[in-house]
Amino acid sequence: MTHHPGRALILAAALPLVVRHGASVTTSMVARAAGVPAAAVFTAFPDQAALLEACAAEALRADEAAAAIAAVDLDQPLAHRLASAAVHLRGYAARVLLLADAMPASRHRRPEPEDTDGRRARHEQELASLRSALTALFEPERERLRMPPEHLARLFQSMVLADTPTGPAETLPTEELVSLLLWGALTPP
C-alpha cells in the first residue's frame, strides 16, 4: 500500500484536514481536497485508521525542519543562527502538537509497552536529525563554548520544543529564548 502513486498527494491533502477535523475527517473530504475520486483514497489507505496513522507519521517527520536548519548561514552570528533554527523547530513542534490535539484521545493516550512497529525509534531518529543540524550551528564557536556543541544542541532543542504552546499560551520571544541559552538567567554581578 505504501507505493500507491497518489498516496503522497492524498496524504498532503489529508494532513491539514485531520488537524482541523480530527478523526471525523471523511474520505470524501480528503478526496475533494486531493482532487481525486474517493476510491483512490481507499486504494491508497485501506481504512480511516491507516490514513490517521499515516498522517501521524507524516507530522512526525522532521526532514524539512532539519534541512532548513542545516541551510542556516554559518557566517551569521550564533544568536541569529539560533533564532532562525528556533523558527523551524517551533514550526515542526506546532505541526506535531496540532495533529496530536486533533487525534482521538484514546489514540494518543493509550499505553504502549512495546514498540512493535518501530514508531518510537523512528521518532527518536527524527529528533536526532534535528539535534545534528543544531549541533552544526554551534560548531563554529566550539572553542568559545563552555559545553560541547552536541550538549548545547540538545538543551536548545529541549527549550524550544518545551516552549511550543498547545493552546492560546504565548511563547517566549525567540530573542529571549536564545539569550537565555547563550547568556544564562542571571545578570552579571
Side-chain angles (χ1 to χ4, degrees), residues 9-140:
L9 173 72
I10 293 167
L11 190 55
L15 193 55
L17 292 172
V18 171
V19 166
R20 194 172 318 120
H21 301 286
S24 63
V25 70
T26 65
T27 305
S28 61
M29 291 165 70
V30 173
R32 192 171 29 258
V36 299
V41 177
F42 285 118
T43 304
F45 301 96
D47 55 28
Q48 184 189 33
L51 177 64
L52 293 175
E53 279 298 318
C55 285
E58 183 67 19
L60 289 174
R61 284 184 51 223
D63 52 340
E64 288 179 18
I69 293 167
V72 171
D73 182 3
L74 296 180
D75 290 331
Q76 294 182 54
L78 180 58
H80 289 92
R81 296 191 306 257
L82 295 179
S84 294
V87 170
H88 300 297
L89 276 176
R90 282 180 167 159
Y92 168 75
R95 183 181 72 207
V96 169
L97 290 173
L98 282 170
L99 188 75
D101 286 347
M103 297 304 252
S106 62
R107 189 212 166 291
H108 61 80
R109 291 196 184 137
R110 71 175 177 209
E112 292 189 36
E114 297 177 16
D115 187 18
T116 55
D117 61 0
R119 219 176 310 151
R120 258 182 270 146
R122 281 193 305 276
H123 183 59
E124 281 302 315
Q125 288 174 340
E126 297 293 343
L127 293 176
S129 72
L130 289 168
R131 275 193 306 278
S132 177
L134 290 170
T135 298
L137 297 181
F138 286 98
E139 280 297 336

